Amino acid sequence: MTKRPSSQAMRLNFKSFLLATVAAVVAGAMPRVALAQDASDPSAASSGEDIVVTGFRKSLSDARRIKKDATIQVDAIVAEDMAKFPELNLAESLQRLPGVQITREAGEGRRISLRGLGPDFARVQLNGMEVLGNVDSAQDSRGQRTRDRAFDFNIFASELFTRVEVEKTFQAAQNEGGMAGTVGLFTGRPFDYATGLKGALVGKLGTNEYTKDAQPRVAGLLSHNWDNRFGILVSVAYSKRKTTEQGHNTYNYDQPDAGTMKDLVAKGLDISRLSAAQQAKFLSGDLVFADGNRISSWNARQERLGITAAMQWRPADNLLLTLDGLYGQLDTHREELHLATRPLASDGSIAFDTPAGAPWPAAFQKASVINDLRWDSNNYVTKTDVTGTTFGSENRRSLNKTRFRSVELTTAWDASDSLTIDGHIGYQKSTYKTPYDDKFYMRAKGNLVADYGLDGRSASFQYSGWDPTNPANYAMDSFYYRAFNNESELREGVANLRYKLNGALTLRAGVAYHRFKQDGIDLFYDDNVNGTRSKTRGTSVADITSVYTNEFGSWLIGDYAKGFAKYNEYHRLGQNNDGTGGALQDIENVYTTTEESESAYVQMDWDTELFGKRFRGNVGARAYHTDTNSTGWIQGDSYAYLGTTDVDGSYSGVLPAMNAVLELTPEVLLRFAASQNLNRPGLGSIAAEGSAFKDDNSGDITASRGNPNLKPYKDTTLDFSAEYYFGKVGLLSASVFHKRINNFIGTQILENIPFSQTGVPVGTIPGATGSTIVKEFSMPINVSGTKSLTGVELAGQAQFTFLPAPFNGLGVIANYTYVDAPPEITGISKTSYNATLYYETNRWGLRGSLSHRSRYYTGRSDNPMSASTRGFEGTTYIDASAFVNLTDAIQLTVNAINLTNQKDTQFWGQSRYLYNQNQSGTTYMAGVSFKF
């Protein structure tokens, strides 16, 4: 273990002070939450004059108004001022809302799950237009480069947005899709602000307890409004920071059979130090070993730039034109640094090895000695003590570039007192490119005691008896080169008509066009093809390494500049200039998918009375038709290209929806919604890529491909809620929702069918014809049956103005969500809750926030020891912030994110064995904002 310096101890004391402060506020305030009423503002005089709500309380009040006025079920977050969204990250803001759960990476929110469904089911819109995004995850265990529909909130800086709304129920006037709900992101427009010139500048500087870097974050907004006739707004946000995730992890598991174990012992593996019972168990083939036994760091240098521009023109009192543009740029230079068990002459990546041959040095030509083993009732080995373990040191570097471009023209025309016409046309393009993703491998010989605890859910590694920082214990292995390229494109057009029939009824109708296209390619140039093994393997590393240290240990890593110079190497996807290396063979995920949708809706809105109470709502239906097309490579042995398949599909339907609000009093509202909505299938399922193989011995043909003709998921949702509004920010609400979902996707396996029925080109197998029999063909299909989930959301917020000064500046926001879903629906926690306690005056304020989500699964299997069962343990994150207004125009702020340095733990198997456990450290930021 690395000893913490005194500066870290000081930071821990500072964190302890902040946590103690938050806890004290919680203890003092929580017993009175139920009694809270908004009577007066703590900063107001006692003269009875009108109170102006400002700051964080104003954002709460504005968000409450949006929720109350909406006909559908909506929750919102509103920026308290220009370029000042209440959190550093949009996802972290969204997690404060009931029913929203987020995933985090390197301490920053990334994707959201909503109302019992995972990230693929939550749609995100930007100023009313669906938004796309192609980004990556740092870790393979989290699906490093998945091509899916889930939006990553890491793309955009939060300062670019004025509000975020989460629509939890569906109405016919909304485009179909987003079965879990729709998240609306809204950027600033000049008519949002008063006439004249307005502007704001925000600057922050932060650091992280692990990276110890300077993290600048700046944003600016400039707007000019010419009497609501013409206006221009531009905002810019830039940030730069280092991130790290550090911890222990495995590659899941390996279970060598009895024959393999006996063969390893015959080749020299020494098990003589084990007891007779241990030896018998070892040779039985029953034991399951942790694979990899890794300490790791995922480090990144991240640079993000966002620019928005908006122009509004009102050529006539009844006509408004708005042009919105957004550019987002995210560059990430990433280093993955690992020390893992990587045997040269054994099985998988377990911790013991047999003698390696040439060209490896003498130290590698000695077998491992197993000193001790411990296993549990599942035969999972929870402790190994090995002398002479073979390690791999991996330095993986990559450059990831994300670019997002969006432009949208919106029109609103009040043609008469009764008729309004509005709509938009827009274009978006999102690209994700990895020009290089390289691996620098070295091997080492040493000792390891890997202890995963009696339950297999923790990790402790000891490297006694050798020095992992001594180059003499290492030998060079090889280089591995990769590159990736994904691109998404969207064109959208929407036109709406609203006609007021009378004081109670309004008829709405509209049409929409939506065309989505996504393609990509993955390139892998492995070391057995690129020719580096023959000139690098087994050579000395004395002159090409550096020592790396994280919170869990120190070891040697390869230096790319020195290694490339020594071996005359460089990032490449083809033959080296010196003649080494063969042709690139491993090309994967080559497919293009296009969806083209047309839809139309009719909706009747009403606002009348029922039993003397205000009763408002809407009822309508949306008809849709979608055509899909996908082309993709069919590949065989060693990823050989065999041909391209081209498959069309289509589906259509009608989605009814009804939303109603009954106002028992102006403060008490009852809501009910009943609707149907859809979620289009995952991109991987509808991709036409596939494989075809012919067995050399039997002649049997097997084939597979994706299915662009899949029908969308479809749900029927019922939602009921009760809401009580009080004071200026007070709100209590309770919601119950129930979803019945069908058209789930499974795999169909057909046997002995003609080649012509597979959709795979006949030419992929030489000599085959349309009538040639394919022994086994598989593809995804919609499976029959319905899955149901039920959820409850409780939320409240209040200002404790009934308390005597100075305690009347206290306030609270809290929510709790419970979801009961079948195991087949993954990616969602059964329970989650959030709480924010704040104290605010017109001069200064502070906030402490807690966010918890319970354990959740990302995959399930009936096999108790299958790694297909995997997920994340529950987490609780605590953040804090404070501000001081020096003047009406200048504000100082302080933020602390992830105060407890929460562990992020992934598991595999039904016993939840440790898969990956990381910590990313606490981040601190201080800043100043100026508005004019």
Side-chain angles (χ1 to χ4, degrees), residues 131-389:
V131 64
L132 312 172
N134 296 302
V135 292
D136 74 324
S137 166
Q139 298 181 24
D140 295 325
S141 63
R142 294 189 294 223
Q144 189 172 50
R145 288 180 178 84
T146 54
R147 291 162 67 177
D148 56 26
R149 300 183 186 276
F151 180 75
D152 196 317
F153 288 87
N154 195 39
I155 297 177
F156 300 140
S158 61
E159 292 91 344
L160 300 175
F161 299 91
T162 59
R163 74 181 192 276
V164 174
E165 297 181 5
V166 180
E167 298 181 354
K168 297 180 177 179
T169 59
F170 178 69
Q171 60 179 338
Q174 172 65 281
N175 286 355
E176 74 279 0
M179 201 165 69
T182 295
V183 178
L185 311 179
F186 297 90
T187 57
R189 291 170 169 172
F191 290 177
D192 294 341
Y193 305 105
T195 59
L197 181 67
K198 303 294 179 183
L201 292 173
V202 177
K204 296 180 180 180
L205 186 65
T207 191
N208 178 276
E209 67 174 300
Y210 286 167
T211 62
K212 304 178 181 65
D213 64 318
Q215 300 182 1
R217 187 180 180 109
V218 295
L221 183 148
L222 188 64
S223 174
H224 200 295
N225 179 350
W226 285 271
D227 297 323
N228 288 327
R229 284 295 178 181
F230 184 77
I232 297 177
L233 179 148
V234 177
S235 67
V236 179
Y238 172 82
S239 64
K240 186 176 183 180
R241 68 173 188 143
K242 291 182 180 179
T243 67
T244 185
E245 293 179 272
Q246 306 176 5
H248 302 90
N249 57 93
T250 71
Y251 305 149
N252 298 320
Y253 70 92
D254 186 51
Q255 186 177 14
D257 59 27
T260 299
M261 290 302 204
K262 292 175 183 177
D263 184 58
L264 293 176
V265 172
K267 290 180 178 179
L269 178 64
D270 187 349
I271 61 172
S272 62
R273 298 184 186 181
L274 300 178
S275 68
Q278 287 177 320
Q279 292 185 37
K281 190 69 172 180
F282 181 84
L283 294 171
S284 69
D286 295 335
L287 293 179
V288 178
F289 295 88
D291 231 7
N293 304 286
R294 231 171 34 166
I295 54 172
S296 302
S297 280
W298 287 266
N299 302 334
R301 291 180 289 116
Q302 186 181 90
E303 192 170 12
R304 179 167 50 200
L305 172 67
I307 303 172
T308 73
M311 182 175 67
Q312 290 186 289
W313 180 36
R314 200 185 303 273
D317 290 343
N318 63 342
L319 178 63
L320 175 63
L321 303 176
T322 302
L323 181 66
D324 290 297
L326 188 149
Y327 174 79
Q329 175 178 312
L330 177 64
D331 291 337
T332 304
H333 293 263
R334 182 171 291 125
E335 281 185 320
E336 291 186 38
L337 306 169
H338 309 287
L339 183 66
T341 56
R342 295 296 294 268
L344 293 166
S346 186
D347 194 77
S349 294
I350 51 184
F352 42 86
D353 205 354
T354 62
W360 297 105
F364 292 84
Q365 298 182 25
K366 297 179 181 179
S368 301
V369 179
I370 303 180
N371 304 307
D372 193 17
L373 293 175
R374 183 183 70 213
W375 59 88
D376 66 7
S377 59
N378 294 322
N379 290 322
Y380 180 69
V381 177
T382 59
K383 180 181 179 181
T384 55
D385 182 345
V386 180
T387 300
T389 296

Side-chain angles (χ1 to χ4, degrees), residues 596-740:
E596 194 166 17
S597 300
E598 301 90 24
S599 61
Y601 76 93
V602 175
Q603 177 174 300
M604 183 68 74
D605 292 12
W606 73 84
D607 191 343
T608 183
E609 288 190 352
L610 180 66
F611 305 121
K613 308 296 183 182
R614 185 184 180 191
F615 182 52
R616 53 191 172 91
N618 59 58
V619 62
R622 189 175 197 93
Y624 62 90
H625 176 80
T626 300
D627 292 312
T628 62
N629 173 264
S630 183
T631 61
W633 281 17
I634 302 297
Q635 295 176 282
D637 290 319
S638 301
Y639 304 99
Y641 170 71
L642 302 177
T644 301
T645 186
D646 189 328
V647 184
D648 294 321
S650 66
Y651 51 83
S652 58
V654 177
L655 301 171
M658 187 271 284
N659 295 267
V661 182
L662 179 63
E663 298 187 6
L664 298 181
T665 71
E667 295 79 27
V668 179
L669 277 61
L670 299 180
R671 297 183 187 270
F672 175 75
S675 64
Q676 289 187 339
N677 200 357
L678 62 82
N679 212 89
R680 293 186 165 88
L683 297 177
S685 298
I686 62 176
E689 67 169 345
S691 62
F693 300 94
K694 183 175 182 179
D695 189 277
D696 293 335
N697 296 320
S698 65
D700 291 339
I701 298 173
T702 59
S704 67
R705 66 166 174 84
N707 183 8
N709 206 32
L710 285 171
K711 307 303 179 187
Y713 299 90
K714 197 171 183 180
D715 80 324
T716 300
T717 296
L718 301 177
D719 188 287
F720 177 78
S721 68
E723 300 161 7
Y724 171 49
Y725 297 84
F726 55 93
K728 291 191 176 295
V729 300
L731 167 66
L732 294 173
S733 69
S735 303
V736 179
F737 58 89
H738 178 75
K739 291 180 179 287
R740 292 176 56 85

